[in-house]
Amino acid sequence: GHVARILEEECAELKAENVEGRKTTPVGVTIVELDEPLPDVTQPTIRRRGAVLLDLIPIAASISTSYLCFTAQDYFAGSLILLGVVASGFTSIVLQSSRLTFTHPIAAVGSPNGDGILTGDREVIIVKGKEDSVNAITRGRFTLRFNSDIGYALLKASSYLYTIQFLLQLLLVPQSTFYGQLLFLASIAVSLAYGVYLMSLDNGKIQRRVFMESVLNKPTMRKYALGTRTSMAVFALLVMKPINPEKHLEELLPNDTKVWKTWKENVLTKIRAREPLRFQVDKADLTEPELNLLKTLYSDAQSAYTAFELESARSRKSF
């Protein structure tokens, strides 16, 4: 969903701790720790530095040009500019009466930790926390809420006001003086320049900042760069400690050849027993190419265990 993509973009920009080992298709694995349960409804706030002063520029320009039109006795142009100020101000008031709201489903009482994983081609996110917190990322959404039905009616009224303003411009601008028309165009130019400025802002970064700070309360995040998807899969299992590790391993690595089955069985045995991932290669009935592949896969698992030891040490330091 949209919320998961916001988190993925945020994790993609994190600096990763490189893990030694074989490298084919590097994958970044970010661990996000949500320590406190998140409320089912949050109203995040959006702040821009210097926003108030910048917002005053088009208002001041419109009022000034309207005043100049009235002093020149061009009431058509002055009234149109003033109507634009009223329409913009009315819409702004209506929108400010609404609240940006983030909601997500609440888990049942007594639910265990809901550690989850979000997988992509080059980025994997492991979310650790209560079920409510994980729901916020996997099933949360942003909405714009009004305090009552009156808010929706006022929003519709503001759209009608803009329509009336547009029609009056078609009728009255040709009736204005040349001086008034120039001032009218000047006010529009300032408003357009302000609109271009707003469009130039990195809205994606603003969304991420609001989500990470106001919704997730600046969670602890640690990122590792593993060289292969095999290492990533093993590292994810070690970090998550799922009840059914074999199910997760099959989802992450669906390979089912003889070598892969042997490797999976040995890795899962050590994970269940919480033993270090150190392996002795059993030649058994494997051919030379199969034996080489098994050694390579064991090496990937050992790299994942090295990353897990590093993560365990860093996790202890954060407390």
Side-chain angles (χ1 to χ4, degrees):
H2 179 63
V3 172
R5 286 196 298 273
I6 292 176
L7 184 60
E8 289 172 3
E9 292 171 0
E10 184 71 17
C11 293
E13 294 188 359
L14 285 179
K15 183 178 179 180
E17 182 85 24
N18 284 312
V19 179
E20 294 185 1
R22 185 171 69 103
K23 288 180 171 54
T24 56
T25 306
V27 182
V29 181
T30 304
I31 299 171
V32 181
E33 290 187 354
L34 303 176
D35 301 323
E36 299 295 331
L38 302 178
D40 57 331
V41 178
T42 306
Q43 292 184 340
T45 56
I46 302 176
R47 297 184 181 90
R48 290 187 290 115
R49 295 177 181 177
V52 176
L53 293 177
L54 289 172
D55 294 344
L56 289 176
I57 292 177
I59 299 174
S62 296
I63 293 176
S64 299
T65 52
S66 176
Y67 173 77
L68 291 175
C69 286
F70 282 122
T71 57
Q73 296 185 343
D74 190 335
Y75 301 109
F76 287 149
S79 299
L80 286 175
I81 297 172
L82 195 59
L83 179 60
V85 174
V86 172
S88 299
F90 181 72
T91 303
S92 178
I93 292 173
V94 172
L95 291 178
Q96 288 180 8
S97 68
S98 65
R99 291 290 180 270
L100 178 65
T101 305
F102 179 81
T103 58
H104 66 88
I106 290 294
V109 177
S111 296
N113 282 0
D115 300 354
I117 182 170
L118 303 172
T119 58
D121 292 335
R122 294 298 178 92
E123 293 290 333
V124 172
I125 304 171
I126 299 173
V127 184
K128 298 179 66 64
K130 297 294 184 181
E131 184 70 23
D132 287 343
S133 301
V134 177
N135 282 343
I137 294 174
T138 58
R139 300 168 64 187
R141 63 176 182 174
F142 285 99
T143 56
L144 194 64
R145 291 185 175 181
F146 290 93
N147 295 329
S148 65
D149 292 339
I150 298 177
Y152 294 100
L154 292 176
L155 186 62
K156 185 180 293 186
S158 69
S159 66
Y160 290 147
L161 189 57
Y162 274 115
T163 302
I164 293 171
Q165 179 196 10
F166 174 73
L167 294 175
L168 288 176
Q169 286 176 4
L170 296 178
L171 295 173
L172 299 182
V173 169
Q175 309 300 321
S176 304
T177 64
F178 179 71
Y179 178 70
Q181 291 175 358
L182 287 179
L183 291 174
F184 178 75
L185 291 176
S187 68
I188 292 179
V190 174
S191 298
L192 287 176
Y194 179 70
V196 171
Y197 160 73
L198 291 179
M199 292 177 62
S200 69
L201 296 176
D202 190 343
N203 293 322
K205 184 171 290 186
I206 294 174
Q207 284 184 348
R208 296 204 306 269
R209 178 167 56 84
V210 170
F211 180 66
M212 300 303 295
E213 295 180 3
S214 298
V215 177
L216 297 187
N217 300 320
K218 298 181 180 179
T220 301
M221 301 172 67
R222 295 181 294 275
K223 184 175 182 178
Y224 302 88
L226 293 109
T228 67
R229 290 194 67 82
T230 309
S231 298
M232 174 275 294
V234 176
F235 179 67
L237 292 181
L238 291 170
V239 172
M240 293 172 61
K241 299 180 177 65
I243 299 176
N244 297 315
E246 54 280 336
K247 176 184 176 182
H248 289 273
L249 188 57
E250 287 298 328
E251 291 176 350
L252 295 171
L253 299 172
N255 314 64
D256 59 355
T257 62
K258 181 172 66 174
V259 176
W260 278 96
K261 287 181 178 179
T262 300
W263 176 81
K264 287 179 180 179
E265 289 174 1
N266 293 336
V267 168
L268 288 171
T269 297
K270 288 187 175 291
I271 288 178
R272 293 192 193 97
R274 298 180 181 270
E275 296 178 358
L277 300 189
R278 307 283 186 259
F279 302 94
Q280 295 293 329
V281 179
D282 184 4
K283 295 183 179 181
D285 58 345
L286 299 177
T287 64
E288 191 65 25
E290 290 175 335
L291 187 61
N292 290 334
L293 175 59
L294 185 59
K295 290 179 181 178
T296 299
L297 296 179
Y298 281 150
S299 175
D300 288 346
Q302 290 170 352
S303 295
Y305 189 74
T306 300
F308 175 67
E309 290 181 315
L310 179 60
E311 161 60 17
S312 298
R314 293 176 66 180
S315 179
R316 285 193 295 269
K317 288 182 181 179
S318 66
F319 288 98

